[in-house]
Each structure stands twice: as structure tokens, then as C-alpha cells.
Amino acid sequence: MNKLLNVAQAVPRQFVREYAFKSDLKIKWVRPEKIACYKPEKSGDLSKLPPLKGDELLPEFRDCKELEKADNTVKSLFMLSNNANYLTTKHYRNEMVKDVQRHAQDYGSVEAKLANMTALIRRYQERMESHPRDKMIKVRLKELIDKRKKFLKYLRRWDYARFEWILEKLDLVYKPPPEHFHWITRKESLQKLTDSYCENLKEERLEAYHKQLQAQQIPFLEEAIKKMEFVRQEQISCDVPVTVTEEQIADSKKQLAQLRELRQAEEAAKTRKQDEDSFN
């Protein structure tokens, strides 16, 4: 008994695999890169805020005549770029609201609120690019993006024409939440990739088989015409009912001539294209 066990242990086991794994198909799945919800790719902001002009003054000093005659050093004290950040944010908010407001005193409509929120969101996004660890701005930015989505959802439901107009004016993309959310998993993605790979493989093989059959068309018709003529002559000589008519032979010859003309035209077009490519 012990000898039999020793012999069984000495012989290595051989496992024969008769089925295919996904790894045999050379399919590789890479997990998509995670994009933060506050970034423009996720929030739907297609453009950034325009850069400030170098000589942009504070709103309350733009019509000041004394500043026109003042020295450059004095003027720089009243420039928007040399003052607090909240004044620049206020300037962007006012400019964006003016583009969408219904009248000069409109600051409470849905369009004005959306423009106000969009200016703030883009200012916060600029801040997050330079200071990615600013948690307070990050939380505010997330809250503003969610709030703007709710306003857009409301406007889309009740006034679709104005909704499309505001998206065009503010350069936004509305991304509604999916009806049935599910996480992206490796197993499901591999199944989709495998199905796509099999479909492409099937189409490639069908295309190759189709070309092979097309290449055999002319020899097949030539041989068929010879056999039909031979069968017709034999039937006439043996004085039996003729089953192959001259019309059938003529139709086959006509089809053969059309095929030859088509192949000659294809070859001429192919050579012409090769000559053009070599010339370029």
C-alpha cells in the first residue's frame, strides 16, 4: 500500500484545460480614473472665468475724474487686481448676472441665481487648483454644485426653452443623475469587453470569408458555364429532354462579364489611390 502511495506521489498530476479564460483573449481592464466631484469635468463647467484686465478699476471708482489725472502709483491702489479677493469675486458675479438678468434690477430670478452660483463655483475651482487641501472651500464648492443642480433640474422641468438658453449663456452642461446607479466593477466590465471582442472577431472572420467567396465567384461562374454547355450538348445528342436552356447560359455569361468589369474597375481605383499616396 505504501509503495502505491509513493508511486502516486512521484507521478506529477497533469490538468488538461478544455475551456478558455478571459486572460487567453488578451483583454485587459484598467479601472477608470476617479475624478473629484468639484472639478469642471464633473460639475459641467465648460469654460473658466475670463482673466481680469490689467487696468480694471473698482466699480465705485470707474467714473472718477480725479483718477484719470492721478499718478500710476495712485491708480494701482484702486485696481481690482491689487485689492481683496472678495471684490474680484463680486465683480465676476455682477458681470455674469448682467448677461442673464431679465431687467436691470433682476437679482432674484432663477437665471440670476444660477449665474451668481456659477461665478462662485468657478472662483472656488480656481482656488482648489492652487490650494487642493483647502477643506473649507472644498465643502462650500460641493454644496454650491449640488444646489445649482437642483435649480437646473427645476428650470428644466418647468421652462425647458429658458433652461437651454441659460446653459448656452453660462457655458454649462447639465448631467442628470442616473435612474439606477451601480458601481463600476471589474467583472461586469470584463464581460462587456469580452462580448465586444467576440463581436469584432466574428465580424472580421465573416468579412474574410466574404472576400474569399468573392474571389471564387469568377472561377465558379466560368466552370458553371462550361458544365452547363456540356450538359446541354449531351442532352441534345442523346435525344433526351433538355433541362439547360440557352437563356440560362446567356444570363451566366452576362453575370460573368459584369463581374469582370467590376473587378477591373476596383483594381484601377486601387492602383490610382496607391499612385496618389506615393505621390503625396
Side-chain angles (χ1 to χ4, degrees):
M1 188 68 181
N2 293 331
K3 290 182 179 179
L4 291 173
L5 288 173
N6 292 333
V7 171
Q9 290 174 0
V11 177
R13 294 185 179 182
Q14 294 181 357
F15 296 96
V16 180
R17 192 179 70 189
E18 297 179 352
Y19 52 91
F21 283 106
K22 293 182 178 67
S23 58
D24 296 340
L25 304 178
K26 298 179 182 179
I27 295 173
K28 186 179 180 182
W29 179 70
V30 181
R31 185 177 292 278
E33 184 182 356
K34 188 177 180 181
I35 302 173
C37 63
Y38 58 84
K39 290 195 173 180
E41 295 87 352
K42 271 287 185 72
S43 65
D45 292 271
L46 297 178
S47 61
K48 297 182 178 181
L49 292 171
L52 275 178
K53 295 179 181 178
D55 56 347
E56 188 75 32
L57 296 172
L58 292 170
E60 53 268 23
F61 297 102
R62 284 174 189 168
D63 299 329
C64 184
K65 295 180 180 179
E66 286 79 3
L67 275 178
E68 294 177 1
K69 303 175 184 178
D71 187 48
N72 291 332
T73 307
V74 178
K75 281 184 179 179
S76 65
L77 297 174
F78 297 92
M79 284 183 182
L80 201 57
S81 57
N82 293 335
N83 281 273
N85 278 332
Y86 77 92
L87 295 173
T88 307
T89 304
K90 186 178 179 182
H91 163 73
Y92 280 123
R93 288 166 68 180
N94 292 335
E95 291 296 322
M96 199 165 281
V97 168
K98 284 178 184 177
D99 291 340
V100 299
Q101 61 186 178
R102 300 180 185 180
H103 49 82
Q105 303 301 323
D106 177 27
Y107 290 94
S109 63
V110 180
E111 298 86 3
K113 289 179 180 178
L114 283 168
N116 195 356
M117 285 186 280
T118 302
L120 270 177
I121 286 168
R122 290 177 183 174
R123 282 290 289 171
Y124 286 162
Q125 284 172 346
E126 289 178 357
R127 171 73 180 178
M128 288 300 297
E129 285 179 4
S130 55
H131 300 82
R133 293 192 178 185
D134 195 336
K135 293 184 178 180
M136 184 180 69
I137 296 295
K138 185 177 179 180
V139 171
R140 287 183 186 175
L141 183 53
K142 286 182 178 181
E143 291 174 352
L144 267 176
I145 290 171
D146 291 338
K147 188 177 179 182
R148 186 177 67 179
K149 281 183 180 178
K150 289 180 181 178
F151 275 67
L152 286 171
K153 183 180 178 182
Y154 169 82
L155 192 61
R156 182 173 183 254
R157 182 178 179 184
W158 293 107
D159 193 346
Y160 194 80
R162 194 172 290 274
F163 166 77
E164 288 286 340
W165 177 78
I166 198 72
L167 288 182
E168 185 179 353
K169 290 293 286 185
L170 299 179
D171 204 7
L172 293 173
V173 171
Y174 176 68
K175 299 178 181 180
E179 294 181 0
H180 306 288
F181 176 78
H182 67 282
W183 293 103
I184 297 174
T185 59
R186 181 177 180 273
K187 182 178 180 181
E188 185 182 357
S189 302
L190 278 175
Q191 287 174 352
K192 291 180 181 179
L193 287 172
T194 306
D195 293 341
S196 175
Y197 175 82
C198 293
E199 286 294 326
N200 293 335
L201 186 64
K202 183 174 73 174
E203 289 177 2
E204 288 175 3
R205 291 184 178 179
L206 283 173
E207 185 67 24
Y209 184 60
H210 180 65
K211 289 180 180 179
Q212 184 182 354
L213 291 178
Q214 280 184 339
Q216 295 174 358
Q217 272 183 332
I218 293 176
F220 174 78
L221 280 174
E222 290 174 348
E223 188 177 356
I225 290 168
K226 290 179 182 179
K227 288 183 178 179
M228 288 165 70
E229 289 175 347
F230 173 77
V231 169
R232 180 175 171 79
Q233 289 176 1
E234 288 294 320
Q235 286 175 346
I236 292 171
S237 62
C238 295
D239 198 12
V240 295
V242 180
T243 57
V244 181
T245 61
E246 292 182 355
E247 294 177 356
Q248 292 176 346
I249 298 173
D251 290 340
S252 299
K253 287 182 178 179
K254 185 178 179 182
Q255 188 178 357
L256 180 61
Q258 289 176 354
L259 271 174
R260 283 175 176 167
E261 289 178 2
L262 183 64
R263 295 294 161 77
Q264 288 175 0
E266 289 178 355
E267 288 178 1
K270 188 176 180 181
T271 53
R272 197 183 307 115
K273 187 178 180 182
Q274 287 178 354
D275 293 339
E276 290 177 357
D277 293 341
S278 62
F279 179 76
N280 294 330

